[in-house]
Amino acid sequence: MSGKKNNKLEGEEVIEFDFDEILKAFSKYSNPLTIAGIMISIITCWYVRTRDVANLMGKYLLGLDPYVFMRYAESIVINGFLPQIDILRYYPTFFDTTRELLMPSYFIAYIYKILHFFNSAVSIPDAAIISPVILTCVGIIFFYLLVKDMFNNSTAFIATMLLVTVQGFLFRTSAGFPEKESAAIFFIFPFLFFYLRS
């Protein structure tokens, strides 16, 4: 590393990123079959999970807990944070929000901010309805790549198509059900993929 000043303290590790190596590592996924498989998987995932959007009329969710996550997301969007005490739960002792998994609420809030930036007509309930589908589609990309690395393109395609259409997985990740499962899918498959790649 000649010519570069090293400001590393004693015992401190420095993490350096070689973006050329990262691009080279991902170039093996630029195969037309891989891209086609991922695109078909995403389109199928999106299609089967958004069939009920019209019935939700931009305000209904598919469970009770999703309404709490949506209410927390509204607080995050309006106030910029979530109060530690939720005075609308467990009266008179109330509820400590740090005891709740808040990832779905933050996902709804930030998906709302992104969508609202491009379309001011988007509301927080709209973001709550569509957020599980967006998170699942991102997770599915990494599931496809994970199975492709372990086996091959055809196995990855079949496994992904089965996963996106299996009934038990479908309900918990459908539009209108912003729960912990879709947030978990967003993290677990990328985690497994990058763990395998490392």
Side-chain angles (χ1 to χ4, degrees):
M1 286 204 180
S2 59
K4 286 189 180 177
K5 194 173 180 182
N6 192 353
N7 294 329
K8 187 172 106 168
L9 298 173
E10 185 84 25
E12 181 183 340
E13 288 187 39
V14 174
I15 298 174
E16 294 182 8
F17 292 101
D18 185 351
F19 289 105
D20 292 335
E21 287 297 320
I22 293 170
L23 289 174
K24 194 186 301 179
F26 277 99
S27 67
K28 75 178 222 173
Y29 302 111
S30 62
N31 178 328
L33 283 176
T34 303
I35 294 170
I38 290 172
M39 293 306 296
I40 292 169
S41 300
I42 291 172
I43 291 167
T44 305
C45 183
W46 186 272
Y47 179 80
V48 299
R49 281 166 175 73
T50 55
R51 296 302 85 211
D52 64 343
V53 168
N55 296 329
L56 300 175
M57 295 185 270
K59 58 183 175 180
Y60 298 117
L61 300 177
L62 297 178
L64 298 176
D65 288 350
Y67 284 101
V68 173
F69 293 129
M70 185 173 71
R71 184 165 58 81
Y72 287 172
E74 287 173 350
S75 178
I76 293 165
V77 169
I78 293 167
N79 303 320
F81 64 93
L82 184 63
Q84 185 176 350
I85 301 299
D86 182 358
I87 61 171
L88 298 180
R89 289 174 73 179
Y90 304 156
Y91 180 84
T93 58
F94 306 121
F95 181 73
D96 180 6
T97 57
T98 60
R99 293 174 42 210
E100 181 70 75
L101 177 66
L102 300 175
M103 193 60 68
S105 301
Y106 280 97
F107 273 127
I108 293 169
Y110 286 104
I111 286 172
Y112 164 77
K113 288 181 179 186
I114 292 167
L115 296 177
H116 190 75
F117 177 79
F118 293 104
N119 181 0
S120 60
V122 172
S123 65
I124 295 173
D126 292 334
I129 288 169
I130 207 67
S131 64
V133 183
I134 294 171
L135 298 175
T136 304
C137 286
V138 172
I140 287 301
I141 295 169
F142 287 97
F143 178 78
Y144 187 98
L145 296 176
L146 172 70
V147 178
K148 180 193 178 301
D149 273 1
M150 292 168 57
F151 301 101
N152 55 40
N153 258 321
S154 55
T155 306
F157 182 71
I158 292 167
T160 306
M161 294 306 286
L162 286 172
L163 182 65
V164 299
T165 56
V166 70
Q167 189 175 8
F169 184 66
L170 183 61
F171 175 71
R172 305 294 289 189
T173 57
S174 286
F177 202 85
E179 261 282 4
K180 302 172 180 85
E181 288 79 9
S182 55
I185 296 305
F186 181 80
F187 286 111
I188 191 69
F189 292 139
F191 167 77
L192 292 171
F193 170 73
F194 288 118
Y195 182 77
L196 179 69
R197 291 299 301 157
S198 67

